[in-house]
Amino acid sequence: MFILSTTLSSRLERLRGPAAARRFGRLRRGIEKEGLRVDGAGAIAATAHPRGLGSKLTHPHITTDYSESLLEYITPVYNRPEEALQFLGDLHRFTYRQLDGELIWPASMPSKLNGNDSVPIADYGSSNVGTMKHVYRRGLDARYGRIMQSIAGVHYNVSLPDDLWTLLKTLDEREDTPMGEYRSARYFDLIRNFRRHSWLLLYLFGASPALDTSFLPDGRVPKGVRPHGQRTLLSSYATSLRMSDLGYQNKVQDQLKICFNSLSNYVNTLRHAISTSWPDYEAFGVRDGDSWRQLNANILQIENEYYSDIRPKRVARHDETPSQALEARGVEYIEVRCLDIDPFATLGIDATQTRFIDTFLMWCLLSESPWISDEECDRLDDNRRLVVERGRDPELKLSRHCQAVGLGEWAQDIFAELGEVAALLDQLEDGSPHGEAVAAVAPRLDAPSLTPAGRLEARLERTGEDFADAMVAIAREQAEALLATPMNASREAQLDQLVATSHQQQSDIEQADTCDFSTFLSDYFERARESRVLTPLDRGERP
């Protein structure tokens, strides 16, 4: 019989009474979801971002990521995931009304490409802010290529309610610790446990075992994948090629060794990276006459360039970098970044997945979370790489406390604890959505064919379809389903208004510029190097 860990058991026991009494509220979450625009044949769209969607520089909910063709949707924050998904669905419906025969690609690995230049870099207008966003993307092209930047994913943002933080602080007997300091430290506890166990999410929800051959224009066939159909590479064991060395990778960033032991370490490491030049980037050059090739030649141009499967976040003010916001006011929420788009979910993510992730994140928070040594950090990276490449291999072994253990055995132990955490969260609900989500996902542990990656491989094998053809067919089905469902009327009016408002805001920003771009950029990086550490009195807290 599996026994709960002592730390988790104690914390759950002390939280059950307050949960039953509704002394704290639900988790809060928002969803960011990317999706390539493609033509009817499945090729990446070469058209500009539709004007009818508003300004991608200023619209709060519809923008672009790297490419002009890579849509990005951002929902508001909600206490119920179903509400976030409803908003996300309406963003898709609104978009389809502006697309002239184009489709939203329903997968993380990109559609048909035609070389690096077929991925258009997003243009954000003539303002200094817009120019900075564009030049940053030019730098990404120079460093990693545009093809890598055509990959899409889902980012899941979660925060705990203030009343729960107050309760946890009391239960941990940390009343003398300023709330901002306590909250940030506990969020980093969560992040470290996430890093230790994110392989489980990659196995359960990884959805990219295949890719179009145009993603690798040199014609190579990497280890672990095989040709399928006319233009597909497919793996029988991979869970998320998006998260593999074929997808997001940065060998230069590997030296940063960010394992999230403290807020100060995280901030100082990023500040070092945006202030330290790198020889290869210096050799490429920052400017070619009046044309900018990259923002600078440093390890990171800006903090957003750091790739990670999870990030601590704080909404930044207009004069702050992300790290300065964290440094000044602490962690506000966390951003989960390792989620593939699920082709079998109309929106790329569904309520079951959100409820499971909520449970998983709460488990990460309530479980014991010692600091991560350099040696453990390397083992965690190895575990993640193994699951990304071979997670559906029944013979796969992972490193658990330096001992080899089967993925399924370790996952079963985690699920036993997740069930208890789900029961706690369900005390805040009318039904048992978290428990039902854990139960719904559990069969995947014994049957890799039930995972999104397994389902996609099975479809391609059964039909003989190429990856691109299957995704076009799914995209058409999803477009029809979305357009057949009416939008929320008030939200439709809101989105209509935001089109005009966002274009006007971009125009206002462009007219308000008072200096040239070089001066603007110099001022930005001078401010970015400043420390924003505040004392407890500065934060309005008791010393």
Side-chain angles (χ1 to χ4, degrees):
M1 179 179 178
F2 183 77
I3 300 175
L4 287 177
S5 65
T6 302
T7 299
L8 178 63
S9 178
S10 174
R11 285 174 171 164
L12 287 173
E13 179 63 31
R14 289 181 293 166
L15 286 172
R16 288 189 182 104
R22 303 291 176 96
R23 286 177 52 194
F24 60 89
R26 300 179 179 90
L27 305 184
R28 299 189 294 261
R29 80 279 295 153
I31 301 172
E32 301 173 36
K33 188 254 184 178
E34 300 158 352
L36 277 175
R37 288 185 295 109
V38 302
D39 66 20
I44 186 171
T47 54
H49 183 74
R51 183 171 178 80
L53 295 180
S55 164
K56 52 189 175 291
L57 177 69
T58 57
H59 198 295
H61 303 300
I62 304 175
T63 181
T64 57
D65 193 79
Y66 173 84
S67 173
E68 189 77 3
S69 307
L70 186 54
L71 292 164
E72 181 175 5
Y73 298 128
I74 305 167
T75 76
V77 177
Y78 289 101
N79 289 327
R80 298 179 186 275
E82 292 79 6
E83 294 177 344
L85 291 168
Q86 289 167 5
F87 195 101
L88 182 62
D90 279 345
L91 293 178
H92 282 75
R93 295 181 186 94
F94 187 81
T95 298
Y96 265 119
R97 298 180 181 186
Q98 307 299 323
L99 299 184
D100 184 14
E102 292 179 346
L103 299 167
I104 301 172
W105 192 248
S108 283
M109 297 307 287
S111 59
K112 297 176 182 177
L113 307 175
N114 186 24
N116 194 69
D117 291 346
S118 69
V119 182
I121 299 176
D123 181 355
Y124 295 91
S126 62
S127 69
N128 285 328
V129 172
T131 300
M132 182 176 177
K133 292 171 74 70
H134 180 74
V135 172
Y136 165 62
R137 286 157 173 77
R138 286 187 186 176
L140 296 179
D141 176 20
R143 296 169 180 221
Y144 323 115
R146 301 185 193 183
I147 287 178
M148 190 182 92
Q149 307 301 323
S150 65
I151 299 171
V154 175
H155 297 170
Y156 192 66
N157 303 309
V158 178
S159 65
L160 273 66
D162 291 342
D163 47 12
L164 179 54
W165 284 123
T166 300
L167 178 60
L168 288 172
K169 187 165 173 280
T170 300
L171 294 177
D172 287 346
E173 298 180 350
R174 298 284 299 277
E175 289 92 339
D176 292 336
T177 303
M179 176 55 80
E181 179 182 332
Y182 172 79
R183 184 178 57 237
S184 292
R186 297 291 282 114
Y187 268 128
F188 271 83
D189 289 346
L190 183 161
I191 290 170
R192 288 194 300 278
N193 272 338
F194 183 96
R195 288 276 297 152
R196 289 182 171 101
H197 304 101
S198 62
W199 58 264
L200 181 61
L201 298 184
L202 293 169
Y203 170 79
L204 294 171
F205 303 112
S208 52
L211 52 87
D212 188 81
T213 53
S214 63
F215 184 77
L216 300 172
D218 56 7
R220 60 192 170 100
V221 179
K223 181 181 178 181
V225 299
R226 66 185 189 280
H228 169 86
Q230 297 299 310
R231 51 179 303 144
T232 299
L233 295 176
L234 178 63
S235 171
S236 292
Y237 289 146
T239 61
S240 177
L241 294 178
R242 164 180 171 260
M243 297 296 292
S244 74
D245 286 345
L246 294 178
Y248 288 117
Q249 57 175 317
N250 186 330
K251 301 302 182 183
V252 177
Q253 290 187 28
D254 288 347
Q255 66 162 322
L256 297 178
K257 286 295 181 187
I258 297 178
C259 278
F260 303 97
N261 284 329
S262 70
L263 175 58
S264 61
N265 171 258
Y266 177 78
V267 168
N268 290 334
T269 303
L270 286 183
R271 184 167 289 138
H272 167 77
I274 64 171
S275 304
T276 303
S277 63
W278 189 255
D280 289 347
Y281 303 156
E282 286 183 327
F284 181 76
V286 174
R287 298 180 67 169
D288 181 10
D290 293 333
S291 176
W292 288 78
R293 294 180 167 181
Q294 52 186 336
L295 294 176
N296 53 56
N298 297 333
I299 295 171
L300 302 177
Q301 297 175 90
I302 56 176
E303 296 163 20
N304 289 348
E305 191 173 336
Y306 172 60
Y307 297 129
S308 175
D309 53 4
I310 188 169
R311 283 180 183 167
K313 298 293 289 285
R314 157 73 64 175
V315 175
R317 297 169 181 167
H318 76 280
D319 61 343
E320 294 177 322
T321 68
S323 285
Q324 287 173 330
L326 286 171
E327 194 173 43
R329 298 182 301 285
V331 183
E332 183 178 13
Y333 64 97
I334 55 98
E335 179 187 37
V336 175
R337 299 169 52 83
C338 63
L339 303 176
D340 284 351
I341 296 171
D342 184 351
F344 304 103
T346 301
L347 303 178
I349 185 172
D350 60 23
T352 295
Q353 184 175 353
T354 65
R355 295 285 187 177
F356 182 91
I357 295 171
D358 291 345
T359 305
F360 179 79
L361 294 175
M362 182 62 79
W363 173 76
C364 288
L365 175 70
L366 298 180
S367 300
E368 186 176 4
S369 183
W371 280 26
I372 296 174
S373 67
D374 288 344
E375 293 77 13
E376 184 184 6
C377 195
D378 289 338
R379 292 196 300 273
L380 301 185
D381 289 341
D382 287 342
N383 280 345
R384 188 181 76 159
R385 176 183 54 79
L386 286 169
V387 173
V388 160
E389 297 175 354
R390 296 177 45 221
R392 293 183 290 134
D393 182 350
E395 303 300 319
L396 178 64
K397 301 288 185 181
L398 302 179
S399 175
R400 182 184 189 185
H401 307 308
C402 298
Q403 301 293 320
V405 61
L407 181 151
E409 178 184 349
W410 191 355
Q412 292 287 359
D413 289 346
I414 295 173
F415 263 67
E417 296 192 336
L418 289 176
E420 297 296 324
V421 176
L424 173 73
L425 293 175
D426 282 339
Q427 288 186 277
L428 306 171
E429 307 288 343
D430 295 331
S432 53
H434 299 91
E436 291 169 2
V438 172
V441 171
R444 301 180 188 181
L445 300 183
D446 295 323
S449 61
L450 298 178
T451 64
R455 293 177 64 192
L456 180 53
E457 183 198 6
R459 170 170 175 154
L460 297 181
E461 292 283 18
R462 183 180 68 254
T463 64
E465 293 171 291
D466 271 303
F467 168 67
D469 294 336
M471 292 304 100
V472 168
I474 290 175
R476 291 190 187 282
E477 294 170 2
Q478 292 177 352
E480 292 173 2
L482 287 163
L483 289 170
T485 308
M487 287 183 64
N488 176 289
S490 61
R491 187 169 298 139
E492 182 177 9
Q494 174 194 10
L495 293 174
D496 280 333
Q497 180 60 49
L498 281 172
V499 172
T501 301
S502 64
H503 282 304
Q504 183 60 53
Q505 288 173 334
Q506 176 175 335
S507 177
D508 292 345
I509 291 171
E510 291 170 349
Q511 294 178 27
D513 279 343
T514 58
C515 64
D516 61 24
F517 179 64
S518 180
T519 302
F520 169 85
L521 202 59
S522 177
D523 291 345
Y524 174 87
F525 284 116
E526 182 176 355
R527 293 195 308 271
R529 289 189 288 268
E530 298 173 357
S531 174
R532 298 292 176 93
V533 174
L534 299 183
T535 68
L537 287 177
D538 291 328
R539 291 191 294 261
E541 298 170 346
R542 180 165 54 89

